[in-house]
Amino acid sequence: MCGVFGYIGHRSNAALLVFEGLKRLEYRGYDSWGVVVVGRGKIYVKKKTGKIGGATVDELPPGSLAIGHTRWATHGGVTEKNAHPHLDCTHTIAVIHNGIVENYESIQAELVHAGHRFVSETDTEIIAHLLEFYAHNMSFIEAFVKTFQRLEGLNAIVAIHHKERVLVAAKKGSPLVIGFGKKENFIASDPSALLPHTKEVYFLEDGQMAVLRDASVSVMESASQKVVKFSTQILDWDVSQTHKGEFHHFMLKEIYEQPQVVLGIAGSGGEEVKRIVSLIRKTKDLYFVGCGSASYACLAGAYLFSKIAQRRAHAIAGSEFLYHLDFINTKSVVVALSQSGETIDTLESVSYAKRKGAKIVALVNVLGSSLYRVADAKILIGAGPEKAVASTKAFIGKIAHLILLAYALDKRVKEGQELLRKSAEVIREVLAEKNSDRIKKLAHRICGVNHIFILGRGLSYSASLECAMKIKEISYIHAEGLAAGELKHGTLALVEKGTPCIVLLPNDETYAATLAGAMEIKARGGYIIGISPKKEGVFDEYLPIADVGDASMIPMVVTGQLLAYYLALERGLDPDMPRNLAKSVTVR
Ligand code: F6R
């Protein structure tokens, strides 16, 4: 949450460079944005509320040191004053921040007492004033160290001073990645934002700070100032993957990339997978943990492992994991699922589990991310950069890996790979024009409703939760995924004449029972939309999918993604940046 971008180097268009960086990071927060550049020995600021849209930074002067920020508000409303960067009283220091300063009120009281004037309602502004306060008696870098040590909570900060040719950064919790160029260096909260400039990066660890200069970067322990020797790594993504290309939205582009993602996974299964399989085989205490869509992938993982490999696994949402800790011990294995590898509740779950001696396996999309670094064993999802806030290809990638792992556990890895190849074909069929037109028409028909219910059993239950999540977050229609058998225990009371109920009917052991549920809804006036390989008389609308056995939730979810996308368009909404949300939830 919140996008951070900084530049120091030989180019004189630093403000524009940072501004372009912010555009690439906007999915991390789009309440407001701001850029600060040091030009002609002074600090110049531009801040705006709302999305970047067609804005420019043309009025900012040339300069070769700049920082910028896209905000997802925590403390203080969405106003220009609350937008970052924040300045000190003398307008010589600028700060950008991702996180929450938990003790900001007491620090602010202290600073007000010392005569500092605050202009915003944010926790961040105290950082600029604290820097100013300490910089009276020490160097800017020393003041930065002192300031960072005073902050409680999980924070990443970047600061500049109009007279110092440095960009200083520190982190605990929220991510920061340094990009290395030729006589220029960059810092960002997400590596994909660095791709147009460099692939050589270093992910700052918690408790580390960095001093970026034009032609050098030093990393230190922020508590002791001890210099840290670090090695850079090379990103395996390409800048072309971060463009929308021919698509109107990143979400649609990412939906259409899914056959390739699944095919890529079908071709995986190497040494690291074998190591993970052997780790899992040794434990009787297996957990999946993840948040949001990733938590639904966890639930699917538990069903897949049970069905394909007869292995028991517990699926727990990251924010609930703490309350299951009594059961975690040195024999436990925790598989953490995350696109970004930076989701705070997932990271905290992993760190609790580690403290109890559990082994950590990561299924993660971002190379070098916090989860990637902390895990004992890892699989890269291989979905490429995911920019739309609503996760699509990373979710399907997680499911594909879980299918392959389950088959590998049952010593049938080739069968799993074959199933995934078939699934990639089936996704193509869902995306084909004739089918997507059918979904588009359905979206047109039902876009005015208040509720949509989605029913599934077994694996399709987790698919129902994911389809509902997609619909809710980008179309703002209340959608509820349900275990089909649970409907008549309460929620059926909400079904009225014409209420759309999507029924997930794969060709498996759940078919007859879910179909009976569909009949009961129909008897109460519900409008039945069947997603299934077979057409049933009870359906008012039929969205066909081919039968791919244990992987059937893949085409179901892809159908749900398209429906959500077209519902958002019908309602005049931007599917890439839904209100109130942001990608990569790095605050609690
Ligand atoms: C929903 C969505 C979120 C994420 C969740 C976890 O479409 O994108 O629910 O799935 O915030 O994110 P990662 O996978 O980055 O840990």
Side-chain angles (χ1 to χ4, degrees):
M1 270 168 174
C2 297
V4 165
F5 199 94
Y7 173 81
I8 183 164
H10 61 88
R11 292 193 245 181
S12 59
N13 60 343
L16 179 63
L17 219 139
V18 164
F19 179 65
E20 293 297 330
L22 293 188
K23 286 188 188 164
R24 291 189 293 278
L25 287 169
E26 208 181 0
Y27 57 89
R28 297 182 65 94
Y30 31 88
D31 294 339
S32 54
W33 60 274
V35 175
V36 154
V37 61
V38 179
R40 307 183 204 114
K42 261 181 73 182
I43 270 181
Y44 291 83
V45 193
K46 175 162 183 177
K47 297 189 196 190
K48 283 275 170 233
T49 54
K51 294 176 187 164
I52 295 176
T56 67
V57 284
D58 293 349
E59 63 273 48
L60 291 178
S64 50
L65 172 60
I67 55 176
H69 187 270
T70 61
R71 180 167 186 246
W72 186 85
T74 59
H75 290 61
V78 179
T79 63
E80 241 167 64
K81 284 205 167 119
N82 289 340
H84 301 212
H86 287 282
L87 308 183
D88 67 323
C89 296
T90 59
H91 287 204
T92 55
I93 292 169
V95 174
I96 47 177
H97 168 223
N98 179 12
I100 294 174
V101 181
E102 287 170 3
N103 57 337
Y104 85 99
E105 281 171 317
S106 61
I107 297 178
Q108 189 173 37
E110 200 181 292
L111 289 163
V112 167
H113 187 70
H116 289 261
R117 295 175 317 279
F118 283 80
V119 296
S120 79
E121 301 150 332
T122 64
D123 53 339
T124 307
E125 196 184 350
I126 64 114
I127 304 171
H129 291 277
L130 205 52
L131 272 166
E132 177 191 2
F133 176 78
Y134 286 125
H136 282 310
N137 302 316
M138 54 188 84
S139 74
F140 178 58
I141 294 176
E142 284 165 346
F144 183 90
V145 172
K146 269 269 195 207
T147 299
F148 193 68
Q149 284 169 356
R150 292 281 312 274
L151 309 182
E152 287 172 16
L154 302 176
N155 296 293
I157 62 172
V158 180
I160 56 173
H161 185 290
H162 76 134
K163 280 199 180 137
E164 307 279 344
R165 191 73 201 149
V166 290
L167 200 151
V168 203
K171 78 154 231 139
K172 183 181 159 206
S174 302
L176 279 178
V177 53
I178 300 166
F180 297 77
K182 280 206 177 86
K183 296 203 183 128
E184 58 183 357
N185 291 301
F186 307 81
I187 194 153
S189 39
D190 191 322
S192 65
L194 300 171
L195 283 171
H197 306 293
T198 180
K199 286 189 177 187
E200 188 182 1
V201 299
Y202 174 69
F203 289 83
L204 215 56
E205 296 285 354
D206 280 350
Q208 291 183 344
M209 62 174 282
V211 179
L212 279 68
R213 295 190 167 83
D214 296 66
S216 70
V217 173
S218 16
V219 176
M220 285 93 73
E221 298 291 347
S222 39
S224 65
Q225 299 296 283
K226 225 175 105 200
V227 172
V228 173
K229 280 199 184 141
F230 63 93
S231 324
T232 57
Q233 54 182 301
I234 305 297
L235 295 172
D236 61 352
W237 289 347
D238 197 79
V239 67
S240 62
Q241 292 173 283
T242 63
H243 298 149
K244 264 189 252 177
E246 72 204 68
F247 293 92
H248 285 302
H249 296 102
F250 279 111
M251 183 174 176
L252 195 62
K253 171 182 178 253
E254 289 160 10
I255 288 174
Y256 275 79
E257 282 170 352
Q258 293 178 121
Q260 253 346 88
V261 172
V262 172
L263 264 186
I265 296 166
S268 70
E271 282 314 305
E272 190 64 348
V273 171
K274 286 188 192 134
R275 193 162 97 81
I276 290 168
V277 163
S278 103
L279 251 177
I280 294 176
R281 276 209 187 105
K282 282 187 207 128
T283 187
K284 288 202 164 62
D285 199 31
L286 179 64
Y287 296 83
F288 288 116
V289 66
C291 297
S293 281
S295 79
Y296 305 147
C298 290
L299 184 63
Y303 280 109
L304 285 163
F305 274 37
S306 160
K307 193 172 177 194
I308 299 168
Q310 291 77 52
R311 293 261 154 188
R312 189 179 54 202
H314 310 274
I316 304 177
S319 52
E320 291 293 314
F321 193 80
L322 176 63
Y323 316 111
H324 292 263
L325 268 192
D326 291 335
F327 301 98
I328 309 275
N329 56 43
T330 51
K331 294 190 175 120
S332 311
V333 172
V334 174
V335 183
L337 275 58
S338 177
Q339 187 285 126
S340 59
E342 302 294 350
T343 302
I344 190 70
D345 286 329
T346 307
L347 290 177
E348 289 195 336
S349 304
V350 159
S351 115
Y352 297 137
K354 260 199 133 148
R355 268 183 253 150
K356 294 211 117 193
K359 283 262 175 305
I360 309 297
V361 176
L363 189 45
V364 59
N365 199 37
V366 180
L367 175 86
S369 59
S370 300
L371 179 61
Y372 181 90
R373 298 199 302 275
V374 87
D376 300 301
K378 44 222 154 201
I379 299 176
L380 276 172
I381 295 173
E386 192 181 63
K387 307 268 280 186
V389 165
S391 186
T392 53
K393 59 176 179 169
F395 176 84
I396 292 296
K398 287 168 191 158
I399 299 298
H401 278 291
L402 288 167
I403 291 173
L404 198 58
L405 269 178
Y407 272 93
L409 268 169
D410 206 41
K411 301 191 174 146
R412 294 187 285 148
V413 74
K414 287 216 154 55
E415 217 179 298
Q417 288 169 326
E418 197 38 51
L419 184 63
L420 291 185
R421 277 187 207 107
K422 210 167 147 203
S423 306
E425 267 318 300
V426 167
I427 300 176
R428 283 204 178 95
E429 288 165 23
V430 174
L431 301 178
E433 202 173 337
K434 190 168 160 216
N435 196 55
S436 70
D437 279 350
R438 197 181 280 141
I439 298 172
K440 225 183 271 181
K441 279 192 195 120
L442 173 63
H444 180 70
R445 199 161 309 139
I446 64 172
C447 66
V449 300
N450 294 321
H451 308 281
I452 297 177
F453 296 100
I454 306 167
L455 309 182
R457 280 175 185 255
L459 269 166
S460 316
Y461 167 44
S462 45
S464 79
L465 295 171
E466 175 58 8
C467 292
M469 171 75 106
K470 292 292 91 90
I471 293 174
K472 282 189 270 217
E473 64 183 329
I474 64 164
S475 78
Y476 314 156
I477 296 173
H478 167 237
E480 207 171 318
L482 280 164
E486 291 299 301
L487 186 74
K488 50 183 170 289
H489 294 288
T491 312
L492 190 57
L494 293 175
V495 172
E496 297 173 337
K497 190 165 175 343
T499 305
C501 296
I502 301 175
V503 181
L504 305 179
L505 273 176
N507 190 16
D508 68 10
E509 67 284 2
T510 67
Y511 195 91
T514 308
L515 185 61
M519 305 283 194
E520 288 158 10
I521 301 167
K522 180 91 171 189
R524 281 147 188 96
Y527 184 75
I528 308 291
I529 301 157
I531 302 183
S532 174
K534 279 193 246 168
K535 190 171 179 176
E536 290 287 348
V538 69
F539 296 162
D540 295 295
E541 290 278 349
Y542 174 49
L543 301 177
I545 51 159
D547 180 7
V548 259
D550 294 335
S552 289
M553 73 174 286
I554 291 182
M556 284 174 185
V557 170
V558 176
T559 304
Q561 294 168 347
L562 278 182
L563 180 61
Y565 176 79
Y566 289 117
L567 281 171
L569 293 196
E570 285 289 340
R571 291 164 72 98
L573 301 168
D574 175 357
D576 281 348
M577 292 189 208
R579 72 180 173 208
N580 304 339
L581 302 179
K583 206 156 181 79
S584 197
V585 181
T586 54
V587 292
R588 282 189 199 111

